[in-house]
Amino acid sequence: MQDTHGKEEEGISMKVMHVSDQHFEKEKLELCNETAEFVVSEATRIKPDMIVSAGDIFNRAQTLNDRSAISAAKAFILGLTRVAPTALIKGNEFHDNAGCLEVFRNLRTTHPLYVTEGCETALYFDHNAVDEPYFQRFDQSDRPEVQARDLSEASAVLHLMSYPEKGFFLRDKPNLSIDQANQYIKDELRKIFLGFGVISSDASCPVIFVGHGNMQGSKLSSGQTLIGQEILISKHDLMLAMADYYGLGHIHLAQEVALNMWYAGSSFHLN
């Protein structure tokens, strides 16, 4: 749980509940349901202003039948949205396969639900701004005056980054060496974070980053420091997004990577 504060106006704050890595699957459905009920009950008790779910809601591809975990996952998201507006991003392809979040897009929710499998910025408008609260994707192609108006009226800015796949970044770069590829991806991610930062600098409301990926220096459940061939994100690069709170998913050990930059950890012990 985290209170985030706007950049310009004293007293503007938002209570954010950050969850991640539910890993719903039919083989562990009872355990998944127990932990989901606990999370929803905690949300009901705490009464956050916003809930963010940072990826890997599924453990593997699910089929649309009564024995799959899809119904349980939908019930979980519905439970969260009965408490507060909720934003949901996609995890890595091994767990959240492409298109898996489509089952949540048309849910009839109490509070607004925003779902993305990509990398984008969303604005949230609450009762202080509009009669019916809603999420809206921030369109950088809009005229500057429209962008400025939207940012001035928004109640929260959410920078959302689903798991960054190497194949996406390197689809037009087949001949790069491993070192060249890693540097290219790092540079491209830095551009994304800088773009988020430009938007953040114009916002007077709380700014939340929600991402799924590997942060350099984060600890695994074994206590080891993360290294390897997956994309590693530098906390210094991520700070270019200029968010008030960074809600991360993918690493299953809950931990603070930097000031106001947290992995929520998995909902139950996985590894």
Side-chain angles (χ1 to χ4, degrees):
M1 187 64 57
Q2 183 72 29
D3 285 328
T4 64
H5 299 274
K7 294 179 172 56
E8 297 177 7
E9 298 180 38
E10 288 295 324
I12 295 179
S13 65
M14 172 172 280
K15 184 185 290 185
V16 179
M17 184 173 187
H18 165 207
V19 300
S20 186
D21 293 87
Q22 284 76 40
H23 290 275
F24 278 93
E25 63 174 334
K26 62 181 181 181
E27 289 80 6
K28 296 180 180 179
L29 201 51
E30 184 176 350
L31 179 58
C32 291
N33 284 330
E34 287 175 0
T35 55
E37 288 172 7
F38 172 76
V39 171
V40 172
S41 68
E42 283 296 286
T44 303
R45 179 182 67 82
I46 295 167
K47 297 180 174 60
D49 301 307
M50 175 77 66
I51 301 173
V52 296
S53 180
D56 279 0
I57 191 165
F58 294 113
N59 195 48
R60 63 192 68 189
Q62 300 293 312
T63 55
L64 284 168
N65 61 50
D66 293 339
R67 292 174 295 174
S68 81
I70 289 178
S71 293
K74 288 167 71 173
F76 172 62
I77 295 299
L78 284 170
L80 295 181
T81 60
R82 279 195 291 271
V83 177
T86 302
L88 173 65
I89 68 168
K90 178 180 169 296
N92 74 74
E93 288 284 340
F94 183 76
H95 300 298
D96 289 346
N97 60 308
C100 71
L101 301 189
E102 291 299 316
V103 296
F104 304 110
R105 289 193 188 276
N106 295 317
L107 291 179
R108 296 174 63 88
T109 61
T110 306
H111 291 280
L113 172 66
Y114 193 91
V115 178
T116 182
E117 296 192 9
C119 181
E120 60 203 61
T121 296
L123 306 181
Y124 177 67
F125 300 86
D126 66 12
H127 281 296
N128 294 318
V130 292
D131 292 333
E132 288 292 331
Y134 65 92
F135 285 104
Q136 171 185 304
R137 181 172 179 169
F138 182 74
D139 190 348
Q140 291 182 292
S141 66
D142 277 342
R143 300 188 310 277
E145 61 269 24
V146 175
Q147 294 183 21
R149 181 203 65 202
D150 288 345
L151 284 171
S152 68
E153 295 177 356
S155 309
V157 173
L158 287 82
H159 299 310
L160 307 170
M161 189 182 79
S162 297
Y163 185 79
E165 301 284 349
K166 278 191 172 183
F168 171 80
F169 288 102
L170 302 177
R171 62 194 184 282
D172 299 322
K173 306 286 182 181
N175 299 318
L176 296 182
S177 68
I178 292 176
D179 288 341
Q180 289 172 329
N182 288 338
Q183 186 59 51
Y184 177 79
I185 292 170
K186 183 176 181 179
D187 292 342
E188 291 300 300
L189 284 171
R190 189 180 290 116
K191 291 177 186 176
I192 291 171
F193 301 145
L194 281 167
F196 285 160
V198 170
I199 299 170
S200 299
S201 65
D202 290 332
S204 57
C205 58
V207 178
I208 306 161
F209 175 92
V210 187
H212 195 92
N214 291 310
M215 292 299 301
Q216 230 166 20
S218 56
K219 301 287 186 181
L220 304 178
S221 298
S222 62
Q224 296 174 307
T225 301
L226 183 66
I227 57 175
Q229 289 301 312
E230 285 192 79
I231 295 174
L232 294 179
I233 301 169
S234 159
K235 63 183 178 183
H236 301 292
D237 287 349
L238 184 51
M239 286 176 181
L240 296 172
M242 296 178 59
D244 299 301
Y245 179 71
Y246 297 82
L248 306 175
H250 189 50
I251 302 298
H252 294 161
L253 178 65
Q255 59 194 284
E256 187 176 26
V257 180
L259 181 65
N260 292 332
M261 188 181 293
W262 279 86
Y263 277 107
S266 55
S267 294
F268 55 89
H269 182 72
L270 286 163
N271 53 30

